Amino acid sequence: IQLDFSSVENTVFSDLVLFTNNDRLFFKGSNLEGANYSIYTTSGSLVASGSVDTSVEFNVSTGVYLVEITAANGETRKRIIKQ
């Protein structure tokens, strides 16, 4: 799998903020209802996926990850660093 780490901006998710706290990944923004997420390593391995909620388990090693958010009205990709 070849991953594109450039941000795909979509006005539907223009206010999306992702942040981590311990082993949780938090999603903050509008238009997230019915959206799904996928989290990939830099080598392209899928580490987690599911329906977007306020927060989800993010029990992974430190490093850089690509978070992809998809919904019927658009998609976006964001990089996140787990420290």
Side-chain angles (χ1 to χ4, degrees), residues 36-40 66-70 75-78:
N36 295 305
Y37 72 92
S38 298
I39 303 171
Y40 298 92
L66 176 67
V67 180
E68 182 177 64
I69 308 291
T70 57
E75 70 176 28
T76 191
R77 291 182 201 101
K78 300 283 186 181

Side-chain angles (χ1 to χ4, degrees), residues 3-77:
L3 290 180
D4 179 5
F5 275 86
S6 60
S7 185
V8 174
E9 286 304 317
N10 182 309
T11 56
V12 172
F13 299 113
S14 61
D15 65 343
L16 175 65
V17 177
L18 303 176
F19 60 96
T20 62
N21 185 358
N22 297 321
D23 290 335
R24 303 293 298 171
L25 173 63
F26 293 85
F27 299 89
K28 184 177 179 183
S30 57
N31 300 312
L32 291 173
E33 188 171 322
N36 295 305
Y37 72 92
S38 298
I39 303 171
Y40 298 92
T41 64
T42 55
S43 62
S45 298
L46 179 67
V47 294
S49 64
S51 297
V52 170
D53 199 352
T54 305
S55 71
V56 297
E57 187 174 337
F58 192 55
N59 189 12
V60 295
S61 302
T62 58
V64 177
Y65 294 86
L66 176 67
V67 180
E68 182 177 64
I69 308 291
T70 57
N73 53 355
E75 70 176 28
T76 191
R77 291 182 201 101

